[in-house]
Amino acid sequence: MDQHDHLGQVWVMFLRGEDPPLATRFRDRVMREIMVRWPETLSLPITANGRIPLHGDLVRTAEGYVVNPAAASRYAERPPS
């Protein structure tokens, strides 16, 4: 996804699908190929609920993106209501 708040930064997401082991093998193979082709690719954090934080709440590091500590409370796991 290359969206208005992160133009030029393509985010790739994978669904688990109906066969999660198959989806995992596919994702792992695609990510290996992406890293060979674009070695500067950085990872995004996944929140406790399985989502990617908003672009504005991310901080770029050498190893990938992390959630800005000032925004971390927005992504804390909430107990079921």
Side-chain angles (χ1 to χ4, degrees), residues 15-27:
L15 298 176
R16 287 190 184 99
E18 294 178 12
D19 185 347
L22 179 64
T24 298
R25 289 192 305 273
F26 173 78
R27 181 194 68 226

Side-chain angles (χ1 to χ4, degrees), residues 7 17 26 32 52 64:
L7 291 175
F26 173 78
R32 279 192 302 273
I52 296 173

